[in-house]
Structures are given as structure tokens and as C-alpha cells.
Amino acid sequence: MKLLALELRKHRTLIGGLLAVSLLWTAWMVRQVYSGQALFTLAANIGFLAALIPAGLLVPIALARGLNREATGPLAFLLVSPRSGAFQVFSRFVVATATLAVYYAILTGVSCWVASSLGIVYDAWAPWAAWAYLMIAYAAPAVLLGIVYGLVTAAYRPGRAGQVVAVTSFFGVVSLWSWLNKLGVQHLGFLPQIPVPGVSVPRSVAPVLGLTPQDVDLRALIQSVLPSIPTAPLLVGLLLAAALFALAARLWEEVEWA
């Protein structure tokens, strides 16, 4: 628990910043809806989400930078503590993933409330299923990828040429991840699929979403393009997260920090 508390203190600025941004955004949304500008708020919400969702990438970036600072800073002794490598990695993973989970939960909950205030009807499970899908398939592997990258650069301290190789390797893993997702969707169709949720949009809201008044049943519209939601990215995300966790824990045990 002490290591988890220390991780929270080390990254309190980032955690506080993400929560502050999400709460300010929430307050603005609530004010706009109660001032009778719900349609404008919905349109603005879509634009804000396009910026706020990728902002979660700051968490794995901060983890990587934090490991580099630890290797040369006053907390360097933690890297050679008797705690196992798996526990060290796990503590960082838990804090980062919990931060992202809370951040994306706030975005999901407020977006659902704005949609409901406009009369948009949807299956109750759909938003939180999307939140869980995002966390398992993308957020958790991204956090562990940040830990592995930070661990490699902190332990081996590559020069300029080595940093180029490290960055290239990082993007190579991201490309492999994308390719595995595509391969899984194409060849793992036998896995259980997630049904497309029911979503009905009032005719007054349809133009805001770029729809015609006839396209108020979004389930039928989505099913014409995507009959069901594949679960292959979930399997790929879990396998990639497990592999990256094992790699990070092993690296932690093997490297010479001193």
C-alpha cells in the first residue's frame, strides 16, 4: 500500500490536472443544459470528447518520464528496493489504470446525462460497456507499453541514436498492435460478438448529429455497416497487456540500476 500511495503522490499533478479538466468540463456542461442550450451542448460535447479522450495518453507518457526521473533522482533507491519487479510494475499499473478509469467514467457519465436530457434513448448497458471496452482493449495495454518504454530508457540510458531506436521500436509495437486487432477482427469471427445497442434519436436532435429525420433509429443505421461489435480487440488487448506486464517485470529483475 505504501508503494501505491507513493505512486499517487508522484503523479498527483497529472492526476489532479485530469480530474480538474474533467470536472470543469462537467460544470460547463451542466450549466449549458440548465440554461436551455442542450442542443448546442450536445454538439460541443462531441467536439470536446474528440480532444478529451486522447488526453488520457498523457498517463502512459507520464509513467515513462517518471521512470526516467527516478533513475537519476532522489527516488532512485526505489528501483533497487527488495520489492519484486512484478510488484513494482503492478503498483504503477494500478495507479495509472485507476486514474484513466475514473477519468473516462466521468466523461461517459456526463455524456450520458447530456444525451438523456435531449431525449436520446439508449440501452442502459451500452455506455458502460463502451467504457469497459476502451479500458480493456486500449487503455490497459497503453499503460503497460508506457511502463516498458520508460523502463528500457531508464535502465539502459541510451544515447541519441539509441533513443531513436527506442522511439522507432515503440511505434513498431503500436503498429503491431493495430495489425493484430485487424487480424483478430478478420479471423476470429467465431468469438462471441457484442450486439449493437439500441439508440433512438429525437427528430429535433438528428441534424446536430448529421442525420436526416428518417435516421432516428441508430441501431438499424449502425447494423447496416457493422452487424455486431467484435470482441477480438478485447482478446488482443488482454494478451498484449499480459505480455507487456511479464516483460516489464522481467526487465525490472534483470537490469542493473546502480
Side-chain angles (χ1 to χ4, degrees):
M1 292 300 294
K2 289 183 178 179
L3 196 53
L4 290 173
L6 180 60
E7 284 300 309
L8 284 171
R9 287 200 300 270
K10 283 192 302 184
H11 300 294
R12 62 183 179 275
T13 301
L14 174 64
I15 294 171
L18 284 176
L19 292 179
V21 167
S22 59
L23 291 176
L24 285 172
W25 169 76
T26 299
W28 186 83
M29 287 289 175
V30 171
R31 180 177 179 274
Q32 292 299 109
V33 169
Y34 280 113
S35 65
Q37 302 184 56
L39 279 177
F40 169 76
T41 305
L42 178 64
N45 184 44
I46 295 170
F48 280 132
L49 287 177
L52 291 172
I53 291 175
L57 291 173
L58 292 173
V59 172
I61 292 172
L63 279 176
R65 291 179 60 84
L67 280 165
N68 274 288
R69 288 195 300 269
E70 282 182 46
T72 56
L75 296 177
F77 70 92
L78 291 173
L79 302 175
V80 290
S81 69
R83 299 283 189 180
S84 68
F87 189 82
Q88 295 271 11
V89 173
F90 180 74
S91 65
R92 286 159 172 78
F93 172 73
V94 167
V95 170
T97 306
T99 300
L100 284 176
V102 172
Y103 175 68
Y104 287 131
I106 292 172
L107 300 188
T108 301
V110 174
S111 297
C112 291
W113 177 74
V114 172
S116 297
S117 69
L118 286 167
I120 297 175
V121 180
Y122 50 84
D123 291 339
W125 59 268
W128 301 107
W131 170 80
Y133 196 103
L134 173 67
M135 291 301 304
I136 296 171
Y138 300 102
V143 165
L144 285 163
L145 185 57
I147 292 175
V148 169
Y149 177 82
L151 182 59
V152 169
T153 55
Y156 299 105
R157 300 172 192 175
R160 183 169 299 178
Q163 288 176 357
V164 171
V165 172
V167 171
T168 303
S169 300
F170 173 85
F171 284 107
V173 173
V174 173
S175 298
L176 175 63
W177 183 7
S178 175
W179 179 79
L180 287 173
N181 276 332
K182 185 182 296 185
L183 191 69
V185 170
Q186 292 174 348
H187 299 286
L188 297 179
F190 59 85
L191 292 174
Q193 305 289 296
I194 301 172
V196 175
V199 182
S200 297
V201 179
R203 295 182 185 276
S204 60
V205 178
V208 178
L209 300 176
L211 304 172
T212 64
Q214 289 74 33
D215 292 329
V216 294
D217 183 5
L218 285 186
R219 172 184 280 172
L221 187 64
I222 295 172
Q223 284 180 327
S224 65
V225 179
L226 185 69
S228 59
I229 301 169
T231 55
L234 293 173
L235 179 61
V236 171
L238 287 171
L239 293 176
L240 182 60
L244 289 170
F245 183 90
L247 175 61
R250 185 63 179 171
L251 279 171
W252 204 295
E253 299 286 352
E254 291 295 327
V255 297
E256 293 290 342
W257 292 105

